[in-house]
Amino acid sequence: MGDFTVPGLIAYYKIFAPGQIVIALLTQWLIAMPLWKKIPAKPASAILIFSLILLVCAICGFGLAYIIWDPTTPLSECIKIGLFMTGVQVFYWVINFLCLYLLDFKSFKKVAPETETE
């Protein structure tokens, strides 16, 4: 599995794909959906929610980069890894919320006030 071949990649996904799907569904159900429900209810809260998501992505990205960083390499390598990991997470959340918006765009339409006609 660790020989970087196609059969190794297939074996990896046969073993770990069910767990990754469960993690993805739990992430969507426990994190994304509660945050999403707050955005249409209070659109002003979207800025705070997205700012917190960016902060969490940066903390997780640079934290993981520091864990896997080899201290014998320059610090710039750790920073590059951290930026890449943060970018991947931010991309995931942007696509996630964009898909949720496309599925639920009607909740953002404002009802026009009825005008009186005489």
Side-chain angles (χ1 to χ4, degrees):
M1 193 159 67
D3 56 359
F4 303 106
T5 62
V6 173
L9 184 64
I10 292 170
Y12 170 81
Y13 280 110
K14 280 184 180 177
I15 295 169
F16 293 108
Q20 290 172 336
I21 291 171
V22 169
I23 290 170
L25 291 174
L26 284 173
T27 300
Q28 193 69 20
W29 182 48
L30 296 174
I31 298 172
M33 291 312 296
L35 290 175
W36 179 252
K37 288 177 183 176
K38 290 180 183 179
I39 291 173
K42 281 183 150 180
S45 68
I47 294 171
L48 177 65
I49 289 171
F50 289 124
S51 298
L52 289 174
I53 287 174
L54 285 174
L55 179 65
V56 169
C57 288
I59 290 169
C60 291
F62 281 97
L64 286 171
Y66 182 75
I67 290 170
I68 66 172
W69 172 57
D70 181 11
T72 60
T73 61
L75 182 62
S76 62
E77 286 298 314
C78 181
I79 293 171
K80 282 196 278 189
I81 294 168
L83 288 172
F84 175 75
M85 294 180 122
T86 301
V88 167
Q89 292 177 54
V90 169
F91 179 75
Y92 165 80
W93 284 103
V94 167
I95 295 299
N96 192 354
F97 280 108
L98 181 64
C99 288
L100 287 171
Y101 174 76
L102 292 174
L103 292 170
D104 197 23
F105 70 94
K106 289 181 183 177
S107 65
F108 287 94
K109 288 186 177 181
K110 294 196 177 207
V111 178
E114 295 182 24
T115 57
E116 292 182 28
T117 54
E118 292 185 40

